[in-house]
Amino acid sequence: MNPTSLSLFELSKKLGQKEISSRELTDSYIKNIEAREGDINAFITKTFDLAREMADASDSRRAAGKTYSNLDGIPLTVKDLVCTEGIQTTGGSQILKGFVPPYDATVWGNLKKAGAVLLGKTNCDQFGMGSSTENSGYGNTKNPLDLKCVPGGSSGGSAAAIAADFCAGSVGTDTGGSVRQPAHFCGITGLKVSYGRVSRYGVTAYASSLDTIGPMGKTAQDCAMLLQVMAGHDDRDSTTPNIEVPDYLNELEKDLPGFTIGIPEEYLGEGISQSTLQALESTKAVFKDLGVTFKTISLPHTKYAVPAYYIIAPCEVSANMARYDGIRFGNTQEGANYEEIIVNTRTHGFGDEVKRRILLGTYALSAGYYDAYYRKAQKVRTLICQDFTQAFEGVDAILAPTAPTAAFEIGKNTADPLQMYLEDILTIPASLAGITGITFPVGQSQEGLPIGMQLLGPAFKEERVLRMAHQFQTAIDT
Ligand code: GLN
């Protein structure tokens, strides 16, 4: 059996028992990448030489009985928003083409210290702005399960890389759904962590009050192993609280007696495909067999989530993109004077979606409009947070579809940005509330494309949603 089809958990065991070496495993992934990357375009930068070096170093540590962790020797990919020392990090944008960070983001630094191997940096929508990876400055990524379809976004390269057996796991980011929706489109598992659970230090900022960094893998167990190393307080990110990181792997094995799951009625309205609704029913049946009870709940402000998000996120974009002026950051374009240099740098470097959001955000923050847009959106955000707080008083978790449909065809929504934004309706509320959520595959659409459900949990209860998804995956596996 080709080892690349195994889960990260199983690979870690095989490495531990010396049934396979990290070098062999790394070479197997490279072989897969060389065979299919031309069709898929999951990578912006490949780091094969480095990967072989890291794998050899891991094998030597293992031979000496000195491995760093259960991730030692595991080949991973990392979304190109995450700074990697000495390796190009573009944020998916031409404006950062050739940028080589002199330091590691905390999250990658932690994985490196755990002995993980880096196969490359994955493709994404520019700075994370998008839902299909069609807004990348490096060509779009295709869905490995159907090359006519998008892999989702913005962490589309990471999801595609896992689905195509190009790596054992990946690091994605989720600001409004970018880990969960690509996981759903590509039939893998992705965890959106609570805001502050994983350090954002060294990760290119998109919308700073919403940005989260999460693990992606074949299974919840794989995500738990990655999160163990990724999570925790970081002095360099003051939004990471100094609270305990649970033993995620251990927590997975506890069963689910007495658990109650809420189904939000607002998530099952218009536009949700028939096969998605069927997949929800079959998911419920599995959980019922595991002893879980269900209850219908209401999250009444759901319909305001998309408009509020598409004010708040662009406002933060307008501030965060200001540093790319060709002087502090960004590839400098020529110009006769200071202003022309900035204009040319941005005109050339930013894609259309980034420009659109800078315009929207600058407008919404401008004098006279601030109260009407930004302040109002913030009030709506508070109401959405309250919806979840109230819901979690009566349920342990919330189960809902991740997106209205399975993966859509490339080009379907590119002409209509509003339609693209509306695709995010089911992932955005949890992002505004800063809570955690996991998407895992549960079924298929009529076209045979994967469908993933999301399980949302209270902030800093990653262990709960991981455990529930793991129990589900164990139940359907046997
Ligand atoms: N699709 C959403 C957006 O474009 C979410 C993206 C994300 O989570 N990075 O903003």
Side-chain angles (χ1 to χ4, degrees), residues 332-354:
T332 320
Q333 298 296 316
E334 286 185 15
N337 53 42
Y338 175 73
E339 207 177 294
E340 249 186 42
I341 291 174
I342 297 182
V343 169
N344 291 346
T345 295
R346 292 182 173 172
T347 304
H348 181 263
F350 285 143
D352 287 349
E353 186 59 29
V354 177

Side-chain angles (χ1 to χ4, degrees), residues 79 81 127-132 135 153-155 173-179 206 211 309-310 313 353 357 420-421 424 427-428 431:
K79 187 177 184 178
L81 289 176
F127 297 106
M129 299 177 211
S131 314
S132 64
N135 296 337
S154 62
S155 313
T173 71
D174 190 315
T175 301
S178 282
V179 160
Y206 159 18
D211 292 343
Y309 174 91
Y310 278 101
E353 186 59 29
R357 296 195 192 192
M420 192 73 100
Y421 299 168
D424 298 336
T427 49
I428 275 176
S431 297

Side-chain angles (χ1 to χ4, degrees), residues 2 10 24 60 79 99 121 128 139 154 197-198 209 219 256 287 354 364 376 387 392 419 427 447:
N2 189 335
E10 290 165 317
E24 282 164 339
S60 307
K79 187 177 184 178
F99 169 61
K121 304 293 295 292
S154 62
R197 181 72 288 187
V198 173
S209 78
T219 65
L256 312 174
F287 277 116
V354 177
K376 201 171 206 173
D387 281 358
F392 286 127
Q419 191 50 45
T427 49
E447 296 73 34

Side-chain angles (χ1 to χ4, degrees), residues 291-309:
V292 171
T293 22
F294 282 88
K295 171 163 154 183
T296 302
I297 58 163
S298 175
L299 298 167
H301 298 94
T302 301
K303 61 173 177 291
Y304 304 114
V306 168
Y309 174 91

